[in-house]
Amino acid sequence: MYDFEARHIVEALRSGIPSKAVGQYFSEARPRIMSDISARLNDLGEKGKAGGMVISGKYGEGKTHLLNTIFNIAESNNMVVSYLSLSKETPMDKLYLLYQKVMQNTYLPQRKQPGVAQEFEKITANSPVANEMLLYAVKQLETDKLYYLFRSYLNTEDSDEKFLMQADLEGDFIANASLKKIYRRIFNHPVKYNQNFVKTRNCQDYFRFMAHLFVQLGYHGWVILVDETELMGRLGKKARLKAYDNMAKFLFPEEGLESVYTFFALSASYSEDVIEGKHEYENLETSWQGDPEPIRAVLGALTRASQLLPLTKEEIREILVKIQEFHGRAYDWQPNVSVEELVESTMSGGYLLRTKIRAAIEFLDQQYQYGKTGNTTVRELGKESFTEEVPSLEQYIE
């Protein structure tokens, strides 16, 4: 009988598409960096120690796979996990858009689908969690908007109002005037902000609020995983500096951000291509009006980022043995193949780890289907191509 979980693993590896399931079963490689990451997560769970880490690696060498492995470790430790990739829609220089994407991609432990709305719905007015969060919102945040918003959310009986305020907590911010109107209707008392909330300046309040809420709900911390961090390099000069300034809030958090650990996955060429190539330290001196130290610290962290080293021959052998096991379970057969043959099959896969894995799977496919192997063609899959060959029309014109 086919093992459909094993087939999912094999097909994910074959496609090269990162998978949380693959991260669960292939997590033994790179013991040094995994030991470091596990220690950081333990500190997060036991001491609430917030912080961040940059992971650097070459294309195709397993950065995204490592993030998926961290996802599984954090989830098993009863931590909330957010996983997202930077893009035009998720830019690091606009924290309010980043927050919205973070909340759309936040997973509670053992939940298959993202979302935290069910946690909001469990909280009742005057409960210990509600009272703690209201006190926190009015005392610990830069603005007191979330105090008025959360108190209104807990006390309204209007489903439309509740939906609007729940959407606000997830990053679709309600207008200040609308919130004031709702609060006055519920409590017959006007809103008096200590300062107006501006999403472009005060969005860090939401990260702090949610982090504190997750702790109060009994979770052991909040892990944020950010992939494709190198896409910051495509931003304009001032936007890049703003992105670094925002990164500092996660890599070197102030005391207000509790029990949050953020991992950024970054291309190994970023330091050379962007920090040096675009003269970021000079840009900092000439184009940044705020405190330069947080950005300088981030540039240093990006330059010194822990780099994923190529897997050792022994680590590759262990992965191939496990792939062989999953392939047999996936297609209900007994691969009569030695590890040496599997290792030899990866030689056609070029230098990238993901294409070596594809080559091994193609080798096993041929063994399964035909009982022998021919020439593998997976090498072409490992090459990046930015142009498309278009046939000349002349060959079709007589």
Side-chain angles (χ1 to χ4, degrees):
M1 180 179 294
Y2 297 135
D3 184 326
F4 289 102
E5 182 180 27
R7 182 170 291 191
H8 169 69
I9 297 295
V10 171
E11 294 306 321
L13 290 168
R14 186 200 310 280
S15 68
I17 298 173
S19 166
K20 178 185 171 185
V22 173
Q24 179 179 357
Y25 290 107
F26 291 79
S27 59
E28 295 85 359
R30 300 189 171 101
R32 181 176 299 178
I33 192 169
M34 287 309 305
S35 175
D36 183 17
I37 289 169
S38 295
R40 294 170 188 247
L41 293 180
N42 287 338
D43 280 347
L44 180 67
E46 295 173 4
K47 306 173 185 176
K49 185 178 180 181
M53 179 180 183
V54 181
I55 300 166
S56 173
K58 295 178 181 178
Y59 170 79
E61 283 298 320
K63 298 186 298 296
T64 303
H65 171 73
L66 183 60
L67 292 184
N68 277 300
T69 301
I70 297 171
F71 191 121
N72 285 292
I73 295 172
E75 184 181 54
S76 67
N77 288 338
N78 192 37
M79 294 174 179
V80 178
V81 184
S82 301
Y83 193 128
L84 69 154
S85 297
L86 295 188
S87 65
K88 289 182 179 179
E89 294 74 27
T90 314
M92 195 68 212
D93 63 308
K94 294 181 175 63
L95 206 57
Y96 62 95
L97 291 178
L98 185 75
Y99 176 78
Q100 186 179 75
K101 291 295 184 180
V102 165
M103 296 310 297
Q104 289 173 0
N105 294 279
T106 294
Y107 295 79
L108 300 173
Q110 312 308 319
R111 298 287 177 88
K112 299 298 183 182
Q113 298 298 323
V116 297
Q118 60 268 45
E119 294 297 310
F120 301 145
E121 294 166 0
K122 293 178 183 176
I123 305 171
T124 58
N126 300 317
S127 65
V129 171
N131 291 333
E132 167 60 29
M133 293 309 302
L134 291 173
L135 182 63
Y136 180 82
V138 79
K139 295 290 187 181
Q140 302 297 326
L141 301 181
E142 188 175 10
T143 72
D144 52 2
K145 177 205 169 180
L146 278 164
Y147 167 80
Y148 292 106
L149 180 107
F150 199 59
R151 190 177 182 211
S152 299
Y153 174 81
L154 294 172
N155 288 278
T156 185
E157 297 179 357
D158 186 300
S159 59
D160 290 337
E161 289 178 352
K162 203 170 192 72
F163 175 80
L164 282 174
M165 290 182 286
Q166 182 174 297
D168 181 284
L169 290 168
E170 295 175 323
D172 188 7
F173 301 110
I174 188 173
N176 284 330
S178 298
L179 175 57
K180 290 178 179 180
K181 183 177 179 181
I182 292 171
Y183 188 87
R184 188 178 189 112
R185 185 196 65 76
I186 297 171
F187 299 104
N188 195 29
H189 193 276
V191 170
K192 295 182 180 179
Y193 286 154
N194 59 7
Q195 69 176 74
N196 279 332
F197 174 85
V198 180
K199 66 180 182 181
T200 55
R201 291 202 303 263
N202 308 120
C203 190
Q204 190 70 5
D205 275 359
Y206 277 73
F207 282 99
R208 292 172 178 170
F209 183 85
M210 292 306 304
H212 191 69
L213 177 60
F214 290 145
V215 172
Q216 297 307 307
L217 292 173
Y219 298 111
H220 294 167
W222 184 11
V223 175
I224 302 175
L225 307 172
V226 183
D227 205 357
E228 308 288 349
T229 306
E230 64 273 6
L231 293 182
M232 292 189 305
R234 298 182 181 180
L235 299 172
K237 177 169 61 176
K238 291 184 178 180
R240 291 198 308 275
L241 294 174
K242 182 61 178 176
Y244 300 143
D245 191 55
N246 286 337
M247 279 188 73
K249 295 176 173 64
F250 298 93
L251 288 176
F252 314 108
E254 300 174 353
E255 292 184 4
L257 188 65
E258 61 178 306
S259 297
V260 178
Y261 213 94
T262 308
F263 294 88
F264 294 92
L266 179 79
S267 170
S269 64
Y270 191 85
S271 180
E272 180 180 355
D273 293 345
V274 181
I275 296 179
E276 295 178 15
K278 296 187 177 182
H279 313 291
E280 297 293 56
Y281 285 99
E282 294 178 20
N283 297 334
L284 177 60
E285 297 297 328
T286 59
S287 301
W288 184 250
Q289 301 300 317
D291 182 0
E293 292 309 314
I295 296 178
R296 190 172 285 114
V298 167
L299 293 176
L302 295 176
T303 302
R304 299 187 304 271
S306 301
Q307 186 162 337
L308 298 183
L309 300 175
L311 295 182
T312 65
K313 291 181 179 180
E314 185 57 37
E315 287 172 333
I316 292 175
R317 285 172 63 91
E318 291 175 1
I319 289 173
L320 294 178
V321 168
K322 189 169 287 188
I323 289 173
Q324 183 177 12
E325 174 194 343
F326 274 97
H327 199 283
R329 287 167 48 192
Y331 300 102
D332 193 24
W333 72 299
Q334 293 293 329
N336 186 22
V337 176
S338 69
V339 179
E340 287 68 26
E341 288 177 286
L342 267 181
V343 172
E344 179 65 24
S345 74
T346 66
M347 296 300 101
S348 66
Y351 66 92
L352 295 178
L353 177 60
R354 67 174 60 173
T355 52
K356 286 181 179 293
I357 289 173
R358 287 174 179 167
I361 291 174
E362 182 176 331
F363 175 83
L364 290 169
D365 288 342
Q366 293 186 29
Q367 286 285 337
Y368 169 63
Q369 293 174 336
Y370 310 115
K372 60 181 181 179
T373 56
N375 295 325
T376 58
T377 59
V378 74
R379 177 185 295 275
E380 299 301 319
L381 296 174
K383 295 180 179 179
E384 290 184 281
S385 176
F386 300 98
T387 60
E388 181 178 356
E389 292 185 5
V390 180
S392 172
L393 293 177
E394 294 179 358
Q395 61 182 302
Y396 300 105
I397 300 174
E398 297 181 356

